[in-house]
Structure formats: structure tokens, C-alpha cells
Amino acid sequence: MGAPKKYTPENLARAVKRYFKSISREVTVKEQVPTGEKDKMGHMIDETREVLNCLGKPVMVTEYLIPPTVGDLSAFLGIHRDTWNDYCNHEKHPEFSDTTTYAQGRIHAYLERELLTRSGK
């Protein structure tokens, strides 16, 4: 029969969201915009402004202070990685499907963004 699950669907959802909040922050995208003025030395003066999207709203991005990984998520949850992988089996555990899909989606989105934006450092 196996050991009882450590998480209910609701508790797992809260814990996964807490994991992502613990390693990230939301920041407003800003850009330098020329003011058209010059300083005493004749250099153009720029000012920092929020970037607005086509709806006129500030553009927000998730900045990860620590890269999200399945290993770190499992450790944060206090479960073995194999247990997480078991939770991700939607046929076996449909009650965790929304949460595991959400977590995997955020990790994949982070990795895609890194592949597309990282320079050759």
C-alpha cells in the first residue's frame, strides 16, 4: 500500500508557490531615455523610466535570485526527487496534476529564457 502522502493537493500547491516566491522577485523593467538636455560638460543627460507595454502598463518580469530546479524544489518540499516524479505522474496522481504542471512550466520557462537571453559569459 505504501506510506501516506506528505501533501494534500492544496498543501502541495501552497508549498510549490512558496518555493518560487522564496527564490524570485518581481521587478519593473526600466530603460534609459534621453532627456534632450546636456550637463555642464556637454554630455547628454538620460533619465530612468519604466517600460510600458502596449496597454500602457509597466512591464514586470520575474527575476530569479536562485535558478529554479526540480532538485531544489524537492529539497524545499522535504521529499525525495523520486517522490516528486511520482507526483508528476498524472495518471497515478491526477490530484497533483495542476500543481506539478505549473511547477514544471515555470522551470521550463526559466530555462527557455536563459537560453534565449544569456550572453557567452
Side-chain angles (χ1 to χ4, degrees):
M1 179 166 184
K5 290 186 210 79
K6 180 173 182 168
Y7 288 98
T8 64
E10 297 78 20
N11 289 343
L12 183 64
R14 278 193 295 275
V16 166
K17 287 179 182 171
R18 197 168 57 250
Y19 165 71
F20 284 105
K21 286 181 180 181
S22 76
I23 63 167
S24 66
R25 63 182 173 191
E26 294 294 315
V27 295
T28 305
V29 177
K30 297 186 179 190
E31 65 185 344
Q32 292 294 113
V33 179
T35 63
E37 299 176 17
K38 294 183 180 183
D39 64 14
K40 293 177 185 174
M41 305 272 302
H43 302 114
M44 292 299 296
I45 299 174
D46 291 341
E47 82 179 7
T48 304
R49 290 189 192 157
E50 292 181 340
V51 175
L52 302 179
N53 63 22
C54 292
L55 300 172
K57 304 285 184 189
V59 176
M60 302 293 292
V61 294
T62 300
E63 182 178 271
Y64 286 95
L65 307 168
I66 300 170
T69 66
V70 172
D72 285 345
L73 172 60
S74 299
F76 184 88
L77 296 173
I79 60 174
H80 193 277
R81 187 182 184 126
D82 289 343
T83 303
W84 174 258
N85 290 336
D86 190 50
Y87 286 178
C88 290
N89 182 333
H90 298 169
E91 289 181 18
K92 190 174 178 183
H93 295 290
E95 70 275 20
F96 295 135
S97 175
D98 288 345
T99 298
T100 58
T101 300
Y102 165 81
Q104 290 175 319
R106 283 202 60 175
I107 292 170
H108 289 156
Y110 165 79
L111 293 172
E112 287 173 353
R113 206 171 301 118
E114 286 296 300
L115 285 171
L116 291 172
T117 60
R118 241 190 203 183
S119 61
K121 296 180 193 177

